[in-house]
Amino acid sequence: FALESGSQRVLDEVIKKDIKVDQIYATIDALKRNRIVHRITFITCLPGETRADLEETFTVIDRISDSNRHLVVGIFNLLPLPKTSIMELLQKDYNFTPPQTMEGWIDYFPFKQERVTWHTKEHTALCFAVASMCPVPFYLEFDSYGGYQSYVKDCSGACPSGYLAYLVTRIQRLRYKN
């Protein structure tokens, strides 16, 4: 599921996604209860997003990941694409200029921090740091390597395995919580 944000304001005003945060909780609870593996994605660095909006997203992540070993969370930075309402908003309100040629689009990927014209450098750096915590399950607390390996097996291979991945997960968990 592409939930995009845990902030109801961002869902309503920026993304214009017709869902409520309470619906997110109800859906995830049903999937967890029925032991169905579910992958959830969020986007950071959305236009108009504030630190408080990010905190609301983290609150949603904390709540849906609580005792949920069937969950895989991905956090990605906004990648503005042509013909989308967000691209139009960025061009109109934030002086964003997308590539004008096919060659320019080649250099557009991966999207770089310096291309973000709609946030401060500090907010952009925070968003890129948050997104860098993936693909490890930073949102879960593992008390042992065996617990981590069991989770990796149960999540359909969506997370890296091995002791190094476990250590990186522990480090990313500390970063996320602090």
Side-chain angles (χ1 to χ4, degrees), residues 111-174:
F111 195 69
K112 297 175 181 77
Q113 288 185 44
E114 56 269 11
R115 291 203 173 107
V116 176
T117 60
W118 54 95
H119 280 297
T120 64
K121 290 186 186 306
E122 292 79 18
H123 186 84
T124 302
L126 173 63
C127 292
F128 274 72
V130 167
S132 75
M133 291 189 295
C134 295
V136 298
F138 63 89
Y139 43 89
L140 295 173
E141 182 71 51
F142 297 100
D143 55 0
S144 69
Y145 174 61
Y148 178 79
Q149 285 301 95
S150 176
Y151 171 78
V152 169
K153 181 179 170 237
D154 290 345
C155 75
S156 305
C159 298
S161 62
Y163 195 73
L164 182 57
Y166 167 69
L167 291 177
V168 170
T169 298
R170 300 284 303 226
I171 292 167
Q172 296 295 46
R173 176 75 179 169
L174 282 170

Side-chain angles (χ1 to χ4, degrees), residues 1 7-8 40 42-43 53-54 59 94 102 106 109-110 121 124 126 134 137 143 161 168 173:
F1 300 97
S7 164
Q8 192 63 59
I40 308 299
F42 294 93
I43 297 176
D53 294 319
L54 281 176
T59 297
Y94 296 97
M102 289 300 286
I106 291 169
F109 303 99
K121 290 186 186 306
T124 302
L126 173 63
C134 295
D143 55 0
S161 62
V168 170
R173 176 75 179 169

Side-chain angles (χ1 to χ4, degrees), residues 13-29:
E13 297 174 14
V14 179
I15 302 170
K16 299 180 178 29
K17 195 162 190 144
D18 190 25
I19 63 170
K20 302 293 179 205
V21 173
D22 286 343
Q23 291 173 303
I24 293 170
Y25 293 140
T27 301
I28 300 305
D29 287 345

Side-chain angles (χ1 to χ4, degrees), residues 75-114:
I75 300 178
F76 304 94
N77 291 309
L78 174 66
L79 174 63
L81 295 174
K83 307 288 186 198
T84 62
S85 61
I86 288 184
M87 177 67 90
E88 291 170 10
L89 173 71
L90 293 176
Q91 289 178 283
K92 180 177 157 245
D93 293 351
Y94 296 97
N95 198 31
F96 180 72
T97 305
Q100 302 300 309
T101 65
M102 289 300 286
E103 292 80 13
W105 280 100
I106 291 169
D107 291 333
Y108 192 68
F109 303 99
F111 195 69
K112 297 175 181 77
Q113 288 185 44
E114 56 269 11

